mmCIF file of all heavy atoms in Angstrom:
data_model
loop_
_atom_site.group_PDB
_atom_site.id
_atom_site.type_symbol
_atom_site.label_atom_id
_atom_site.label_comp_id
_atom_site.label_asym_id
_atom_site.label_seq_id
_atom_site.Cartn_x
_atom_site.Cartn_y
_atom_site.Cartn_z
ATOM 1 N N VAL A 88 -4.152 -2.443 -10.419
ATOM 2 C CA VAL A 88 -2.966 -3.263 -10.025
ATOM 3 C C VAL A 88 -1.766 -3.024 -10.846
ATOM 4 O O VAL A 88 -0.648 -2.887 -10.346
ATOM 5 C CB VAL A 88 -3.437 -4.808 -10.034
ATOM 6 C CG1 VAL A 88 -2.082 -5.647 -9.737
ATOM 7 C CG2 VAL A 88 -4.540 -5.003 -9.032
ATOM 8 N N LEU A 89 -1.967 -2.932 -12.170
ATOM 9 C CA LEU A 89 -0.787 -2.786 -12.976
ATOM 10 C C LEU A 89 -0.250 -1.407 -12.852
ATOM 11 O O LEU A 89 0.939 -1.200 -12.824
ATOM 12 C CB LEU A 89 -1.258 -2.773 -14.479
ATOM 13 C CG LEU A 89 -0.295 -2.558 -15.582
ATOM 14 C CD1 LEU A 89 0.874 -3.662 -15.482
ATOM 15 C CD2 LEU A 89 -0.934 -2.561 -16.993
ATOM 16 N N GLN A 90 -1.045 -0.348 -12.578
ATOM 17 C CA GLN A 90 -0.526 1.014 -12.306
ATOM 18 C C GLN A 90 0.363 1.034 -11.140
ATOM 19 O O GLN A 90 1.460 1.604 -11.145
ATOM 20 C CB GLN A 90 -1.665 1.961 -12.127
ATOM 21 C CG GLN A 90 -2.410 2.298 -13.520
ATOM 22 C CD GLN A 90 -3.601 3.229 -13.389
ATOM 23 O OE1 GLN A 90 -4.262 3.200 -12.336
ATOM 24 N NE2 GLN A 90 -3.817 4.070 -14.233
ATOM 25 N N VAL A 91 -0.121 0.426 -9.928
ATOM 26 C CA VAL A 91 0.609 0.403 -8.861
ATOM 27 C C VAL A 91 2.101 -0.203 -9.088
ATOM 28 O O VAL A 91 3.012 0.216 -8.525
ATOM 29 C CB VAL A 91 -0.110 -0.131 -7.599
ATOM 30 C CG1 VAL A 91 0.631 -0.310 -6.329
ATOM 31 C CG2 VAL A 91 -1.266 0.774 -7.291
ATOM 32 N N ARG A 92 2.006 -1.416 -9.593
ATOM 33 C CA ARG A 92 3.168 -2.060 -9.992
ATOM 34 C C ARG A 92 4.164 -1.166 -10.821
ATOM 35 O O ARG A 92 5.396 -1.246 -10.530
ATOM 36 C CB ARG A 92 2.882 -3.395 -10.663
ATOM 37 C CG ARG A 92 2.310 -4.491 -9.673
ATOM 38 C CD ARG A 92 1.700 -5.704 -10.444
ATOM 39 N NE ARG A 92 1.393 -6.776 -9.550
ATOM 40 C CZ ARG A 92 0.751 -7.885 -9.945
ATOM 41 N NH1 ARG A 92 0.264 -7.970 -11.242
ATOM 42 N NH2 ARG A 92 0.449 -8.734 -9.130
ATOM 43 N N ARG A 93 3.617 -0.549 -11.810
ATOM 44 C CA ARG A 93 4.394 0.147 -12.639
ATOM 45 C C ARG A 93 5.023 1.487 -11.925
ATOM 46 O O ARG A 93 6.018 1.836 -12.234
ATOM 47 C CB ARG A 93 3.607 0.714 -13.849
ATOM 48 C CG ARG A 93 3.481 -0.370 -14.935
ATOM 49 C CD ARG A 93 3.052 0.296 -16.282
ATOM 50 N NE ARG A 93 1.771 0.905 -16.311
ATOM 51 C CZ ARG A 93 1.403 2.077 -16.344
ATOM 52 N NH1 ARG A 93 2.434 3.070 -16.316
ATOM 53 N NH2 ARG A 93 0.026 2.566 -16.282
ATOM 54 N N SER A 94 4.249 1.999 -10.958
ATOM 55 C CA SER A 94 4.724 3.086 -10.187
ATOM 56 C C SER A 94 6.006 2.729 -9.446
ATOM 57 O O SER A 94 6.928 3.515 -9.284
ATOM 58 C CB SER A 94 3.664 3.592 -9.247
ATOM 59 O OG SER A 94 3.429 2.847 -8.235
ATOM 60 N N LEU A 95 6.062 1.510 -8.900
ATOM 61 C CA LEU A 95 7.324 1.117 -8.229
ATOM 62 C C LEU A 95 8.375 0.927 -9.152
ATOM 63 O O LEU A 95 9.605 1.214 -8.761
ATOM 64 C CB LEU A 95 6.909 -0.186 -7.426
ATOM 65 C CG LEU A 95 6.472 0.027 -5.953
ATOM 66 C CD1 LEU A 95 5.112 0.564 -5.896
ATOM 67 C CD2 LEU A 95 6.731 -1.133 -4.990
ATOM 68 N N ALA A 96 8.070 0.237 -10.333
ATOM 69 C CA ALA A 96 9.237 0.122 -11.167
ATOM 70 C C ALA A 96 9.760 1.537 -11.643
ATOM 71 O O ALA A 96 10.966 1.678 -11.735
ATOM 72 C CB ALA A 96 8.747 -0.634 -12.392
ATOM 73 N N PHE A 97 8.951 2.516 -11.821
ATOM 74 C CA PHE A 97 9.302 3.874 -12.208
ATOM 75 C C PHE A 97 10.190 4.437 -10.988
ATOM 76 O O PHE A 97 11.333 4.907 -11.300
ATOM 77 C CB PHE A 97 8.084 4.693 -12.436
ATOM 78 C CG PHE A 97 8.388 6.197 -12.577
ATOM 79 C CD1 PHE A 97 8.879 6.800 -13.757
ATOM 80 C CD2 PHE A 97 8.267 7.000 -11.380
ATOM 81 C CE1 PHE A 97 9.146 8.179 -13.791
ATOM 82 C CE2 PHE A 97 8.533 8.408 -11.497
ATOM 83 C CZ PHE A 97 9.093 8.887 -12.679
ATOM 84 N N LEU A 98 9.723 4.226 -9.921
ATOM 85 C CA LEU A 98 10.484 4.836 -8.707
ATOM 86 C C LEU A 98 11.873 4.505 -8.758
ATOM 87 O O LEU A 98 12.745 5.263 -8.625
ATOM 88 C CB LEU A 98 9.729 4.496 -7.423
ATOM 89 C CG LEU A 98 8.857 5.426 -6.724
ATOM 90 C CD1 LEU A 98 8.311 4.714 -5.352
ATOM 91 C CD2 LEU A 98 9.486 6.769 -6.481
ATOM 92 N N VAL A 99 12.105 3.002 -8.737
ATOM 93 C CA VAL A 99 13.393 2.516 -8.641
ATOM 94 C C VAL A 99 14.440 2.819 -9.900
ATOM 95 O O VAL A 99 15.655 2.895 -9.697
ATOM 96 C CB VAL A 99 13.507 1.076 -8.254
ATOM 97 C CG1 VAL A 99 12.698 0.755 -6.919
ATOM 98 C CG2 VAL A 99 12.874 0.251 -9.279
ATOM 99 N N GLU A 100 13.792 3.104 -10.902
ATOM 100 C CA GLU A 100 14.592 3.494 -12.039
ATOM 101 C C GLU A 100 14.888 4.995 -12.094
ATOM 102 O O GLU A 100 15.982 5.286 -12.466
ATOM 103 C CB GLU A 100 13.718 3.065 -13.429
ATOM 104 C CG GLU A 100 13.626 1.601 -13.739
ATOM 105 C CD GLU A 100 12.979 1.417 -15.033
ATOM 106 O OE1 GLU A 100 11.855 2.112 -15.363
ATOM 107 O OE2 GLU A 100 13.301 0.551 -15.759
ATOM 108 N N ARG A 101 14.012 5.667 -11.490
ATOM 109 C CA ARG A 101 14.150 7.187 -11.555
ATOM 110 C C ARG A 101 15.027 7.804 -10.511
ATOM 111 O O ARG A 101 15.865 8.690 -10.645
ATOM 112 C CB ARG A 101 12.673 7.879 -11.458
ATOM 113 C CG ARG A 101 12.804 9.294 -11.237
ATOM 114 C CD ARG A 101 12.989 10.125 -12.462
ATOM 115 N NE ARG A 101 12.920 11.543 -12.372
ATOM 116 C CZ ARG A 101 11.818 12.207 -12.610
ATOM 117 N NH1 ARG A 101 10.757 11.715 -12.867
ATOM 118 N NH2 ARG A 101 11.851 13.578 -12.385
ATOM 119 N N TYR A 102 15.008 7.120 -9.307
ATOM 120 C CA TYR A 102 15.784 7.553 -8.124
ATOM 121 C C TYR A 102 16.774 6.463 -7.608
ATOM 122 O O TYR A 102 16.336 5.502 -6.973
ATOM 123 C CB TYR A 102 14.869 7.899 -6.904
ATOM 124 C CG TYR A 102 13.805 9.074 -7.320
ATOM 125 C CD1 TYR A 102 12.516 8.682 -7.746
ATOM 126 C CD2 TYR A 102 14.241 10.329 -7.379
ATOM 127 C CE1 TYR A 102 11.677 9.719 -8.170
ATOM 128 C CE2 TYR A 102 13.345 11.352 -7.672
ATOM 129 C CZ TYR A 102 12.017 11.051 -8.124
ATOM 130 O OH TYR A 102 11.155 11.971 -8.627
ATOM 131 N N SER A 103 17.962 6.774 -7.929
ATOM 132 C CA SER A 103 19.048 5.782 -7.662
ATOM 133 C C SER A 103 19.402 5.675 -6.239
ATOM 134 O O SER A 103 20.064 4.788 -5.782
ATOM 135 C CB SER A 103 20.319 6.073 -8.547
ATOM 136 O OG SER A 103 20.669 7.420 -8.228
ATOM 137 N N GLY A 104 18.996 6.758 -5.545
ATOM 138 C CA GLY A 104 19.336 6.794 -4.098
ATOM 139 C C GLY A 104 18.521 5.887 -3.162
ATOM 140 O O GLY A 104 18.763 5.782 -1.985
ATOM 141 N N ILE A 105 17.533 5.295 -3.825
ATOM 142 C CA ILE A 105 16.653 4.439 -2.907
ATOM 143 C C ILE A 105 17.367 3.124 -2.498
ATOM 144 O O ILE A 105 17.912 2.389 -3.278
ATOM 145 C CB ILE A 105 15.396 4.056 -3.719
ATOM 146 C CG1 ILE A 105 14.526 5.233 -3.884
ATOM 147 C CG2 ILE A 105 14.624 2.873 -2.947
ATOM 148 C CD1 ILE A 105 13.267 5.134 -4.844
#
Side-chain angles (χ1 to χ4, degrees):
V88 170
L89 179 60
Q90 284 175 327
V91 172
R92 289 168 169 169
R93 283 198 292 107
S94 76
L95 264 76
F97 168 85
L98 259 180
V99 298
E100 287 181 320
R101 173 80 175 266
Y102 299 98
S103 58
I105 292 174

